Amino acid sequence: VLSSLPLQMTLYFNVYYFPAWCLAEGVMLQLKYHLLPWHYQFLLVTAYLILSLAEVSRLYLGYIGNLQEK
């Protein structure tokens, strides 16, 4: 079984850039949160959590599948 070098590089860099994205997105959410109506607040927080959890699971599965060549 061969692993993909471009996918390995993408996963490697994405693991390091994801915390910066998460922090920047969290700060922007906090800054504009009080200016939005309640339904947009709910949608933004829900989307942020879903995207963060999906990205964490994608990086974990990519690490297990491609970087460890399993």
Side-chain angles (χ1 to χ4, degrees):
V1 175
L2 296 174
S3 61
S4 170
L5 181 61
L7 181 58
Q8 284 182 347
M9 291 172 55
T10 304
L11 285 169
Y12 181 78
F13 290 123
N14 204 357
V15 165
Y16 287 107
Y17 289 131
F18 174 66
W21 173 84
C22 203
L23 179 67
E25 195 70 29
V27 168
M28 287 187 288
L29 179 63
Q30 181 186 11
L31 289 174
K32 65 181 176 180
Y33 186 78
H34 69 281
L35 300 174
L36 299 171
W38 68 270
H39 55 284
Y40 285 131
Q41 291 175 349
F42 174 74
L43 288 174
L44 270 177
V45 170
T46 304
Y48 177 71
L49 290 175
I50 289 173
L51 286 174
S52 297
L53 291 174
E55 185 69 15
V56 166
S57 64
R58 186 184 71 83
L59 291 174
Y60 174 73
L61 291 174
Y63 177 78
I64 294 297
N66 201 1
L67 294 180
Q68 290 185 348
E69 296 182 0
K70 291 184 180 177

